[in-house]
Amino acid sequence: MTVSYVVTGGGRGIGRAIVQRLLGTDNVVVAVERDARALEWAGGQVIPVIGDASAAEIAEQAADAAEQAGTLTGWVNNAAVFRDASVDSAAAGEIVGLITANLAPPVVGCTTAVRRFLRAGTNGAIVNITSHQAQRAVPGALPYSTAKAAIEGLTRALAVEYGARGIRVNAVAPGSVATERYAEFLASLDPSVAARVEQQMAELHPIGRVATTDEIAAAVEYLLSPNASFVNGAVLPVDGGRSALALDPEAR
């Protein structure tokens, strides 16, 4: 039996690692991505859907493609917008818009996935990608932290409402991750400054480094798998102990 998944923001970073993890031997993954160029690496087992993950019609298109390819089994809401704003310098409407930009994609994705699982009469699993910032905010990142906290609330609410109907909903909360965006940020700095940033990141994470994208993807793969059949409504920190240490240099 061919199993299919949908991953939003599947072209780069954590999303790409999740797509590659889920492919396996017979699986098909539908990757939702704004930029078609971000999926140029993908092979025939990856079905691209180009568009905004917050648009209902794009989510429906992704679900259709997944169901045509196999049995839709899992949905990963990974797409996110990284833009900082503070209430003392940005208008309230701008703040609300930035929160919505991060909250709308998982709401749309969860709505689509739940309806498809129910219609097909099959069990299914949803994983929402949140952040350590959902519980421990970083100065200047109010919209992102607020949206990620709301997504964790969404995760718990859906788990309670649909668990008895065979649908599990969980979240993965990464710490800092060595994505392309992270590498580009370091490359934009003077080498001595970049070295200090990397040292700070090592101090923030008790393991002594930031995560690889594949380490986040491995947690997602587990939560989607039958091995996690009794895990529902959980937020799994995959942050090397950053949330347990609760230290952030920006707060000083």
Side-chain angles (χ1 to χ4, degrees):
M1 179 184 75
T2 299
V3 169
S4 63
Y5 301 90
V6 173
V7 178
T8 69
R12 297 185 175 94
I14 293 171
R16 174 172 175 169
I18 293 169
V19 171
Q20 292 173 324
R21 269 264 175 183
L22 294 178
L23 282 174
T25 303
D26 300 317
N27 301 344
V28 172
V29 180
V30 177
V32 179
E33 183 58 65
R34 283 176 176 268
D35 183 2
R37 294 171 298 177
L39 289 169
E40 289 177 350
W41 57 268
Q45 287 177 283
V46 179
I47 301 172
V49 172
I50 307 304
D52 188 340
S54 67
E57 62 271 20
I58 294 297
E60 294 291 340
Q61 183 181 339
D64 286 342
E67 289 184 335
Q68 289 166 10
T71 301
L72 177 58
T73 300
W75 191 293
V76 182
N77 292 303
N78 170 69
V81 176
F82 301 97
R83 183 178 161 197
D84 293 347
S86 298
V87 296
D88 66 331
S89 56
E94 181 183 351
I95 298 289
V96 171
L98 290 172
I99 293 170
T100 302
N102 276 302
L103 180 56
V107 170
V108 170
C110 287
T111 299
T112 306
V114 166
R115 292 178 177 179
R116 292 301 180 111
F117 293 145
L118 293 176
R119 189 175 75 181
T122 57
N123 294 341
I126 298 170
V127 176
N128 296 318
I129 305 300
T130 64
S131 168
H132 67 97
Q133 292 187 40
Q135 300 296 323
R136 292 170 179 81
V138 173
L142 183 150
Y144 186 78
S145 296
T146 302
K148 292 300 187 181
I151 294 165
E152 292 189 358
L154 172 71
T155 298
R156 289 185 286 268
L158 290 170
V160 169
E161 188 160 356
Y162 295 102
R165 302 178 75 175
I167 300 171
R168 295 183 301 105
V169 187
N170 294 290
V172 167
S176 296
V177 184
T179 62
E180 296 96 322
R181 181 171 171 268
Y182 179 77
E184 289 166 3
F185 169 68
L186 290 178
S188 71
L189 302 174
D190 179 271
S192 62
V193 176
R196 287 199 299 272
V197 169
E198 289 193 278
Q199 179 59 37
Q200 285 184 330
M201 289 297 104
E203 292 170 358
L204 284 172
H205 302 80
I207 283 183
R209 60 175 175 81
V210 301
T212 68
T213 55
D214 189 60
E215 287 172 322
I216 310 302
V220 173
E221 181 184 35
Y222 162 70
L223 289 173
L224 291 174
S225 76
N227 290 329
S229 58
F230 205 63
V231 182
N232 188 37
V235 177
L236 176 61
V238 186
D239 61 7
R242 178 170 181 167
S243 58
L245 180 62
L247 172 69
D248 201 307
E250 293 183 75
R252 293 201 294 269

